Amino acid sequence: MKAIVTRRFGNPPMMAVDERPRPAVHEGLTLVRMHSATINQLSNTIRRGDFGFPTAPLALGNEGVGIVEESDRFARGTRVEFYGRSDLGVSVDGPFQQWALAWDDRLLQLPDGLDWAEGAVLTVNYLTAYLALTKAAKVRSGQTVPVSGATGSLGHAVMQTARALGARPIALVSSAHKARRAAGAGAWAGPSWSGRGHPGRPKYARKTSGASR
């Protein structure tokens, strides 16, 4: 099979498409024929050599989607999404290859309503957002949730998850352009700028009515 392998970490890293044997399935693992895998901040940090202990050569990635090839949990041909434990794409090869191994307890059936691209980016960001809001912050319906970095991938996930929980996410962003993007992503409120530049104390406007807050 083909795999995108980081042969040497650094800036820039040395990466290449290599031929490798298909992974062998073990107990508790599912073999997935990959369709898509995400490039996220963890992968970028590792390939630059800024993470610490990973050793090259290494296939990166720690979440993705594909079709079950061999599994004790799902039937062959099932569309699935998965995310890794702390080792996937760090100390063992990740999904930047044609076939990848996923732990059965980190494997989810991809709903029919989601396409491949949506499924590939769902697990890490949205599970992080959900656990942060429900386990750490213990957010309840009707509460207001300030979201820093609201236009990033995790910020989007936090805002949308907060709305799904009945909370009111306020986007903390640094420009009018980002405020518009945050509003489109589900922010209940965000900063309202007038004129040029960044105000010292921006007003916060309700997305729904435009009233100052």
Side-chain angles (χ1 to χ4, degrees), residues 37-62:
T38 64
I39 301 172
N40 57 31
Q41 189 59 42
L42 176 60
S43 299
N44 285 333
T45 302
I46 292 172
R47 70 178 184 168
R48 288 197 307 265
D50 294 334
F51 195 74
F53 61 86
T55 58
L58 181 68
L60 299 173
N62 56 3

Side-chain angles (χ1 to χ4, degrees), residues 72-95:
D72 291 332
R73 182 178 178 191
F74 290 110
R76 188 171 186 264
T78 303
R79 295 197 322 150
V80 292
E81 55 188 328
F82 66 92
Y83 61 105
R85 296 177 179 177
S86 59
D87 57 349
L88 189 66
V90 179
S91 58
V92 300
D93 287 324

